[in-house]
Amino acid sequence: MTVNAASRWSPSDYAGNAAFVPALGAAALELLDPKPGEAILDLGCGDGVLTEQIAAAGARVVGVDASEEMVEAAKARGIDAHVADGQALDFNTQFDAVFSNAALHWMLDPDAVASGVFRALAPGGRFVGEMGGEGNIAILRAGIREQLTERGYPVPPTDPQWYPGVEEFTRIYGRAGFVAIEAQIIPRETDLPSGVAAWVKTFRTGWMDAARVPEDEQAEVAAAVERRLAPRLRRSDGSWFADYVRLRFTMRKPH
Ligand code: BEZ
C-alpha cells in the first residue's frame, strides 16, 4: 500500500520481489474466516492476491489501495478495486468485516484509519489482520540508515512507517470504539528469495528519493546495504531473510 511520499514501488518489482507478502498473509486470512455472502473490505489490497482468495470463499469483496498501479493490478485479476486513502475511508456500515494485511503500517494517522474502519463496519462487524509490529525490520532499517549516513545523505528523521506495540495499538482502536481487541506480536524471520538488495529496491526507493539519493545510485546503495547486512541477514546456506515482526489482531464493533 502506497500512502506516503516516502513509499514508491512498481507492481512488477512487487510481484517479483515481494510475493512473500501475500503468502505470509495466510494466517490472517484464516483468522478472518470469510463466509459466503459476507461483504468484506480489503484495506490495502495491493495487487489483489489475497483479495482474490477472500472472493474465492464466496464473499463479496471490495479492495482499496492508495496506489493506482496496485489497484490496476488488482482490477486485472477481476477484483472490484478502488484507489482510496485508508486514512480517509468513505464507507458507512456496509461491511460485515474489514481485512488488512501488511498495509496499516504505511498509514501514519492510525486514529483516522481506526475511525474510518469503525464507520465502514456494520454493528457487530469484525476487523482482522496483520501489520508490521514493534521492532519490525530493525536490522534492515539500521543498515539503510548507516549506509545513507556513511555516504553523506540526510537520513529522513522518521521511518515512513508505524510499527506499534500491543498496548499502543489496543489504545488507539479502543478509543475508536472497538471491543474484544486481541493483538499479539509475532517475530517472523521471513525468507527473501531475491535478497536484501531487491527488498531495498522494492520497498525503500521512495525513502531513498526522500534522502535525495540520485536514481542512478540507488541500485548501488541497495547492493551496499546487502553487503553490510550479510553477517546478520544471510544464513550459512547463502539464503537471505528479513527480520520481520508482525502484529496480528482481531476486534469487533459493538452491536
Ligand atoms: C512489512 O510488511 O512489515 C513491510 C513491508 C515493506 C516495507 C517495510 C515493512
Side-chain angles (χ1 to χ4, degrees):
M1 172 118 190
T2 312
V3 291
N4 59 50
S7 66
R8 168 164 79 82
W9 61 55
S10 75
S12 59
D13 271 357
Y14 189 81
N17 301 326
F20 60 85
V21 175
L24 292 171
L29 200 55
E30 202 170 304
L31 208 55
L32 173 69
D33 191 19
K35 299 278 192 298
E38 280 190 322
I40 297 183
L41 174 67
D42 185 355
L43 172 56
C45 64
D47 61 3
V49 171
L50 286 176
T51 329
E52 208 170 29
Q53 292 178 34
I54 298 172
R60 288 177 290 120
V61 63
V62 174
V64 292
D65 200 286
S67 159
E68 267 177 47
E69 292 82 358
M70 289 294 183
V71 165
E72 284 312 310
K75 280 184 174 164
R77 292 178 195 275
I79 305 292
D80 178 12
H82 306 267
V83 176
D85 180 352
Q87 299 158 126
L89 291 175
D90 192 18
F91 299 105
N92 198 356
T93 61
Q94 66 226 64
F95 293 105
D96 300 301
V98 177
F99 174 74
S100 186
N101 179 58
L104 294 185
H105 46 253
W106 293 102
M107 304 176 204
L108 301 182
D109 184 349
D111 284 298
V113 177
S115 55
V117 171
F118 190 85
R119 241 188 342 268
L121 283 168
R126 62 199 189 281
F127 183 30
V128 177
E130 235 180 62
M131 65 183 294
E134 193 169 19
N136 194 36
I137 54 167
I139 297 173
L140 276 166
R141 283 149 68 205
I144 297 166
R145 276 181 182 280
E146 286 161 15
Q147 188 58 36
L148 290 177
T149 305
E150 202 170 281
R151 287 171 179 252
Y153 289 111
V155 181
T158 52
D159 270 23
Q161 286 163 329
W162 177 58
Y163 303 128
V166 166
E167 205 178 303
E168 182 185 7
F169 182 85
T170 304
R171 184 165 11 92
I172 287 170
Y173 279 86
R175 195 155 63 207
F178 283 97
V179 294
I181 302 170
E182 290 187 18
Q184 57 175 324
I185 289 284
I186 305 168
R188 187 166 64 201
E189 200 172 278
T190 296
D191 288 344
L192 295 180
S194 312
V196 161
W199 186 94
V200 172
K201 182 168 175 284
T202 305
F203 291 116
R204 283 296 181 261
T205 298
W207 212 50
M208 285 195 277
D209 291 345
R212 305 203 185 291
V213 181
E215 196 136 2
D216 60 4
E217 197 188 321
Q218 294 189 0
E220 196 185 312
V221 171
V225 171
E226 181 169 280
R227 283 194 299 277
R228 173 183 289 270
L229 294 181
R232 301 184 71 189
L233 297 180
R234 188 169 58 191
R235 303 187 184 96
S236 53
D237 65 0
S239 62
W240 295 91
F241 64 94
D243 54 328
Y244 274 36
V245 175
R246 303 290 87 184
L247 187 146
R248 187 179 298 163
F249 59 87
T250 61
M251 64 188 80
R252 197 165 47 71
K253 177 172 177 171
H255 281 284

